[in-house]
Amino acid sequence: MTVAQKTVVLDQHAIRRALTRIAHEIIERNKGIENCVLVGIKTRGIHLAERLANRIEEIEGAKVPVGEIDITLYRDDLTVKTQNDEPEVKGSDLPVDVTDKKVILIDDVLFTGRTVRAALDALMDLGRPSTIQLAVLVDRGHRELPIRADFVGKNIPTSSSEKIVVELTEVDDEDQVTIHDN
């Protein structure tokens, strides 16, 4: 039996620096934060969105609205189900109408692009933003759809046999990004 190797590629300090850089890039690209809304994709995307909102508030001195979106029903590979074989929906929570807003969609890892596609569909069902931008902590490549991030914490090229695991203190009690060799 072989044991999977685990390598830390981002520690808590590197994650903090990456999010600070992304916050500055969001402000710069949007010429401030007017009409911006941060929307985290459940589960870890919402925690990253909240952290980005805090950094942006420290920089700009103003709050940016933060919401979360559940993409369960929009997935093309719906696998998470309850005991009665129904999808487990956790619900979306957006503090403002996204119509005519600059929405920055936030997720932990960009891989095939299918999660982002599902999030775009879910978001468009809630309104018509003026723009949608994508911020991710890690872009690992291997896209199956023509989707790319506007803001990336770190590009980590991987093989298809490797797995990227993002751990955040809000969910996992520590901040780190690791690569696991299977």
Side-chain angles (χ1 to χ4, degrees):
M1 180 173 136
T2 60
V3 177
Q5 284 285 71
K6 176 172 116 172
T7 306
V8 175
V9 290
L10 291 174
D11 63 11
Q12 67 182 23
H13 303 294
I15 290 172
R16 187 180 71 245
R17 284 190 301 271
L19 292 176
T20 299
R21 183 174 36 76
I22 289 171
H24 281 282
E25 290 174 0
I26 287 170
I27 294 165
E28 185 175 333
R29 160 110 25 117
N30 293 289
K31 297 175 176 53
I33 57 168
E34 186 177 344
N35 287 321
C36 288
V37 179
L38 303 180
V39 178
I41 299 173
K42 288 192 174 188
T43 295
R44 284 168 184 78
I46 182 56
H47 302 298
L48 294 172
E50 289 166 347
R51 291 184 189 191
L52 283 168
N54 290 335
R55 298 256 182 354
I56 288 170
E57 185 176 2
E58 289 169 6
I59 298 163
E60 289 290 290
K63 290 183 183 280
V64 60
V66 178
E68 60 187 312
I69 197 158
D70 182 359
I71 62 165
T72 303
L73 295 177
Y74 296 88
R75 301 239 8 148
D76 60 4
D77 62 348
L78 193 58
T79 56
V80 178
K81 299 199 177 195
T82 60
Q83 285 180 318
N84 62 359
D85 284 338
E86 293 298 318
E88 184 179 346
V89 178
K90 297 174 183 139
S92 296
D93 179 24
L94 296 176
V96 296
D97 182 4
V98 296
T99 300
D100 296 326
K101 298 283 194 268
K102 299 174 194 171
V103 173
I104 297 91
L105 197 58
I106 300 159
D107 203 8
D108 55 353
V109 178
L110 178 56
F111 183 29
T112 62
R114 293 184 180 280
T115 297
V116 173
R117 188 223 34 97
L120 291 170
D121 288 347
L123 198 56
M124 295 306 282
D125 277 354
L126 298 172
R128 189 177 189 287
S130 61
T131 64
I132 301 174
Q133 300 161 25
L134 177 62
V136 297
L137 182 59
V138 174
D139 184 344
R140 66 168 289 188
H142 301 280
R143 220 70 79 238
E144 295 175 4
L145 300 173
I147 291 174
R148 71 168 177 80
D150 299 283
F151 312 103
V152 177
K154 185 166 181 77
N155 286 294
I156 303 175
T158 60
S159 73
S160 55
S161 67
E162 293 173 315
K163 182 177 181 182
I164 296 280
V165 176
V166 174
E167 295 174 283
L168 300 176
T169 54
E170 296 90 340
V171 180
D172 311 295
D173 297 324
E174 73 177 315
D175 279 351
Q176 68 178 4
V177 177
T178 54
I179 283 185
H180 296 249
D181 292 315
N182 292 330

